[in-house]
Structure formats: structure tokens, C-alpha cells
Amino acid sequence: QVQLVESGGGLVQAGGSLRLSCAGSGRTFSGYSMGWFRQAPGKEREFVAAISWSGRSTYYADSVKGRFTISRDNTKNAVYLQMNSLKPEDTAVYYCAAAASWTRVVGGSYDYWGQGTQVTVSS
């Protein structure tokens, strides 16, 4: 069992930066691949970024590539999403999620989800 808690959301002006954190509990956290997703009002949840258990593999949605960076620190049971050059269209609730394998990440199948943190980007 893995529990995930996101933090770091808030209100920022367009062009600004935020760093989201996801704290995981459980001894096996470091064995999970992790992902970030977001859901804007009236829209479906969409993939943002993912990172393998070791941190050696990452991939990003085209909409955030070059602006967002996913990272993790397994000694702290944490995953991060550094968001730069934010745009109003990045406004959403951001969720972190854990997948038992990279194969599941590629297939879009995640096993555990956090409650989300709100990010609002003003123009």
C-alpha cells in the first residue's frame, strides 16, 4: 500500500514557476514508477510527466516538454514537478500517482493516487 500527498500548489502569474511535491508513504515507495497528471475544470484528466523508479527514465506530455521537469528522491520518498514558464492553460488540479512498473506507466495504468493540489496561473 502506498499513500500519496501532494503539496506546493498555489496562485502564480503567467511566466512564473512552482514546484510541486508528492510525499509517499510505505517501504516500497522507491520501487514504484511515478507520474503527474492534471485536470482542468470541465476537462478530462491528462498525463503530464512520469519517472521510473530509478529516475533514469522520464517522459513528458508535449504540452509541458521543455518547461516542466519531473524528479524524485527515494531517500525522502518524494517526487517533484518543477514547473517553469507557466501559462494560464496550465491551471488545473495536479495529481501524483504510483505505478508498480514502467510497463504500467506506458500503458497508463496507475495503482495509487493522491488527492491533488490546485495550481492557478493568472494572465
Side-chain angles (χ1 to χ4, degrees), residues 24 29 32 35 37 60 67 84-85 105 122:
F29 176 85
Y32 283 83
F37 289 77
Y60 299 89
R67 299 188 299 123
N84 298 329
S85 302
V105 165
S122 63

Side-chain angles (χ1 to χ4, degrees), residues 52-110:
S52 62
W53 71 270
S54 65
R56 284 196 288 265
S57 296
T58 58
Y59 85 100
Y60 299 89
D62 287 343
S63 59
V64 306
K65 205 172 291 183
R67 299 188 299 123
F68 291 10
T69 302
I70 189 171
S71 62
R72 68 188 297 162
D73 184 343
N74 287 337
T75 66
K76 297 181 179 179
N77 278 8
V79 177
Y80 308 100
L81 186 68
Q82 177 67 45
M83 305 186 295
N84 298 329
S85 302
L86 283 161
K87 305 175 181 180
E89 51 263 44
D90 295 317
T91 295
V93 177
Y94 282 71
Y95 300 88
C96 70
S101 69
W102 191 246
T103 299
R104 290 181 66 78
V105 165
V106 173
S109 298
Y110 286 77

